[in-house]
Amino acid sequence: ILFLENNNQYRAKDINGKIVCIENADPGYDFIFGYKIAGLITMYGGSNSHMSIRCSELGIPAVIGIGQQTYSDLKKSNLVQIDCNSQKLSIK
């Protein structure tokens, strides 16, 4: 997974194939869809958010609006899996 924070500059090799984590489902992060991301997780947002809609359009697995506690747990994890079919996010 890759946490995008503070508008840092990233290269394709940093983003491609990663589950990208951002705090807000904000159109300012739309640039990530120019890469081949494996998934998207946001702390805030909902099913009608810009990022949710873009992920749906592009067939990218996403978990939108997991909340502060789960997002904090995510930062401490070694393994993250998004299972859209069963609507589960596994954090280990």
Side-chain angles (χ1 to χ4, degrees):
I1 62 176
L2 175 68
F3 288 86
L4 295 184
E5 298 173 337
N6 303 324
N7 294 326
N8 291 333
Q9 296 290 327
Y10 295 93
R11 298 172 304 213
K13 72 176 190 164
D14 297 329
I15 297 176
N16 285 338
K18 301 278 186 357
I19 294 176
V20 175
C21 300
I22 58 176
E23 288 190 8
N24 296 308
D26 184 309
Y29 286 100
D30 209 46
F31 73 91
I32 66 171
F33 298 115
Y35 298 97
K36 296 176 183 177
I37 64 172
L40 177 68
I41 300 173
T42 70
M43 183 186 322
Y44 302 111
S47 60
N48 290 328
S49 70
H50 176 75
M51 298 307 257
S52 178
I53 292 167
R54 293 287 284 139
C55 286
S56 179
E57 290 173 342
L58 299 170
I60 297 171
V63 183
I64 307 295
I66 63 173
Q68 290 177 327
Q69 184 59 54
T70 304
Y71 196 82
S72 178
D73 293 344
L74 193 63
K75 287 188 169 187
K76 302 172 198 167
S77 68
N78 293 320
L79 179 67
V80 175
Q81 182 179 16
I82 299 172
D83 184 345
C84 294
N85 290 330
S86 64
Q87 298 181 350
K88 291 186 180 181
L89 173 66
S90 299
I91 302 172
K92 297 179 183 178

